[in-house]
Amino acid sequence: ENVNVAALSAGTAALHLAFVILGIQPGDEIICQSFTFSASANPITYVGAKPVFVDSEPETWNMCPIALEEAIQDKTAKGKKPKAIVVVHLYGMPAKMDEISAVAKRYEIPVIEDAAEALGSTFKGQKCGTFGEMSILSFNGNKIITTSGGGALVCKTKEQKEKAVFLSTQARDNAPHYQHSEIGFNYRMSNIAAGIGRGQMEVLEDRIAARRVNNDFYKELFATIEGISVFTEPSDDYFSNHWLSAIIVDEEKAGFTREDLREKFLEQNIESRPLWKPMHLQPVFEGCDYYGGNFAESLFEKGLCLPSGSNLSEEERAEIKSVILSLKN
Ligand SMILES: *Cc1c(COP(=O)(O)O)cnc(C)c1O
């Protein structure tokens, strides 16, 4: 795959630059997956554009291609054709890129992939972060590999990458003095972070292997627990780095709620968290348009992220197991 990568200070900065490079203008509208971390949507507002949120589908928990097309058709009919589509590979799970790319192509709208959580994940053998017109990666402290803070913009063309580097280093024109004809940013990756990143690249495969072991552990643990489903790949087309492992608790079948389970974990000092709260339900994005049903919302109500570090010990696993078993009694 022929990719051009600009190393930057954060994934958020990378997404901001992607919108600048695409020429997004104030008042434009950008479609964004609602079920995500706020950093997927915030940069839309940095360029004065408005997010239009779209629901997820049950297999990958990522953008629903049907709701996406509905949003595009409705917005276009109203004379407000969206200028870009931000699709996210949440928790490392690749989105339905075949369907999403087909819709995007049909309406000629560029796709920006938010692959911040999906470094090393693949769809049909192709790496997440290489499908879109541009894609972002994050090396923040909580991601699968880290430079303490950092990110990257993955571009289709060399021109886009050069533009990203130019903008990220204060947009300095080619002149002996300091000459500027565009607004620039201080978004470059520091040399120290880059040095750490080079070392981290060597441990990426090990980290992914460890996270996948966690996912297998949870699958086995919950196999006999009714009402709990572990989030995993819908088919062999998908390879997730399983950055975080997550479950859905079906209260009726399980006999307890997500909150019951979370509190039980907390009693034992085991940290677990509800899944991302969808953006269309966030106070800060109140009034933004939303297309789809209530799938993202139901994930927020019933889902739980489980301990997923690359270094989950045998002891921790045993504790997690005993909490689960105690709930069944
Ligand atoms: C972490 C993250 C980002 C932002 O990356 P930073 O490097 O922290 O700015 C964007 N999108 C998603 C889905 C993320 O998880």
Side-chain angles (χ1 to χ4, degrees), residues 10-12 36-37 39-40 88 90 114 116-117 136 138-140 143 150:
T12 309
T36 186
F37 176 51
S40 306
V88 192
L90 271 189
D114 179 344
E117 300 179 2
I136 71 143
S138 169
F139 310 113
N140 196 44
K143 298 303 195 300

Side-chain angles (χ1 to χ4, degrees), residues 22-235:
L22 283 180
I24 305 297
Q25 296 297 314
D28 284 347
E29 295 193 337
I30 293 177
I31 291 183
C32 182
Q33 184 168 320
S34 183
F35 184 62
T36 186
F37 176 51
S38 62
S40 306
N42 284 338
I44 296 173
T45 70
Y46 301 171
V47 291
K50 252 176 65 184
V52 173
F53 294 112
V54 164
D55 203 0
S56 287
E57 47 76 26
E59 287 194 341
T60 70
W61 296 3
N62 291 310
M63 187 177 276
C64 170
I66 298 163
L68 168 65
E69 184 155 26
E70 200 183 297
I72 295 171
Q73 285 180 345
D74 188 58
K75 281 291 174 188
T76 305
K78 289 174 176 155
K80 210 66 195 149
K81 184 175 165 185
K83 293 288 164 68
I85 298 165
V86 179
V87 58
V88 192
H89 309 293
L90 271 189
Y91 306 121
M93 183 64 71
K96 297 206 159 186
M97 288 317 296
D98 277 350
E99 287 93 331
I100 289 164
S101 302
V103 172
K105 201 169 164 205
R106 195 172 315 139
Y107 298 93
E108 297 180 315
I109 302 173
V111 171
I112 309 286
E113 263 180 284
D114 179 344
E117 300 179 2
L119 187 61
S121 296
T122 63
F123 175 69
K124 293 188 173 172
Q126 185 179 335
K127 290 254 187 299
C128 287
T130 65
F131 291 90
E133 180 64 28
M134 280 174 267
S135 308
I136 71 143
L137 300 173
S138 169
F139 310 113
N140 196 44
N142 59 340
K143 298 303 195 300
I144 195 152
I145 58 168
T146 174
T147 58
S148 94
L153 185 65
V154 184
C155 305
K156 276 265 182 287
T157 71
K158 195 159 162 264
E159 290 70 31
Q160 290 167 334
K161 179 220 158 166
E162 280 168 1
K163 184 86 196 210
V165 171
F166 169 75
L167 291 170
S168 73
T169 49
Q170 307 287 20
R172 205 181 144 194
D173 293 341
N174 192 9
H177 58 280
Y178 279 80
Q179 169 90 11
H180 304 275
S181 41
E182 271 183 80
I183 296 291
F185 304 87
N186 180 9
Y187 278 173
R188 73 186 219 295
M189 180 182 275
S190 77
N191 52 3
I192 294 174
I196 297 169
R198 291 181 60 140
Q200 285 276 293
M201 284 308 290
E202 309 208 335
V203 302
L204 177 61
E205 294 306 319
D206 292 346
R207 295 286 163 80
I208 294 172
R211 304 266 170 158
R212 288 181 59 84
V213 166
N214 291 342
N215 196 255
D216 287 340
F217 162 70
Y218 288 122
K219 273 191 282 196
E220 203 184 304
L221 179 59
F222 290 111
T224 56
I225 312 272
E226 216 195 335
I228 295 199
S229 45
V230 177
F231 182 43
T232 199
E233 289 96 335
S235 80

